[in-house]
Amino acid sequence: MRGASPMPQGSPEVGPLSTRGREVLRLVSQGMSNQEIAAALVISDHTVHRHVANILTKLNQTSRTGAASYAIQTGCFDPPVTMRQQQTMGPSLICGLPRLRECVLPRV
């Protein structure tokens, strides 16, 4: 199954989010809209909407911003790299995107 996690969902090793859920959360944390996320992941807008709703529920957050902030604070993502940081680090930087880490989100 495409996008399936190699471990069972909700296992302590990967936290409550699926691999696809973490991908969507990473893109949400970059400020992308549902349409932009759908295009990037080649899925429908409705599927993105459902992923975002599931992420908010699983992380006990009420907004996309809250979910992104929570993920960064708990160490799942590096904070987004600013344009100024990109200029000082040069083009070898990973395109200024937050790096997704394997993380364990606390159960709520």
Side-chain angles (χ1 to χ4, degrees), residues 71-98:
I72 290 169
Q73 289 174 1
T74 57
C76 289
F77 303 117
D78 289 332
V81 177
T82 66
M83 291 298 285
R84 186 177 186 93
Q85 290 169 323
Q86 285 181 21
Q87 291 169 349
T88 60
M89 292 181 197
S92 62
L93 184 65
I94 53 168
C95 303
L97 304 178

Side-chain angles (χ1 to χ4, degrees), residues 3-93:
S5 175
M7 293 181 213
Q9 273 185 292
S11 69
E13 292 80 17
V14 294
L17 299 181
S18 66
T19 301
R20 181 62 98 183
R22 289 192 308 269
E23 281 182 293
V24 171
L25 181 56
R26 179 178 56 84
L27 297 175
V28 165
S29 73
Q30 293 173 19
M32 293 178 80
S33 69
N34 283 4
Q35 282 185 318
E36 292 168 327
I37 294 169
L41 299 179
V42 192
I43 57 178
S44 74
D45 292 353
H46 179 73
T47 301
V48 174
H49 175 80
R50 292 305 326 143
H51 280 300
V52 171
N54 290 337
I55 289 165
L56 296 178
T57 299
K58 289 178 180 180
L59 299 183
N60 197 28
Q61 298 294 315
T62 57
S63 70
R64 297 163 70 98
T65 304
S69 175
Y70 180 83
I72 290 169
Q73 289 174 1
T74 57
C76 289
F77 303 117
D78 289 332
V81 177
T82 66
M83 291 298 285
R84 186 177 186 93
Q85 290 169 323
Q86 285 181 21
Q87 291 169 349
T88 60
M89 292 181 197
S92 62
L93 184 65

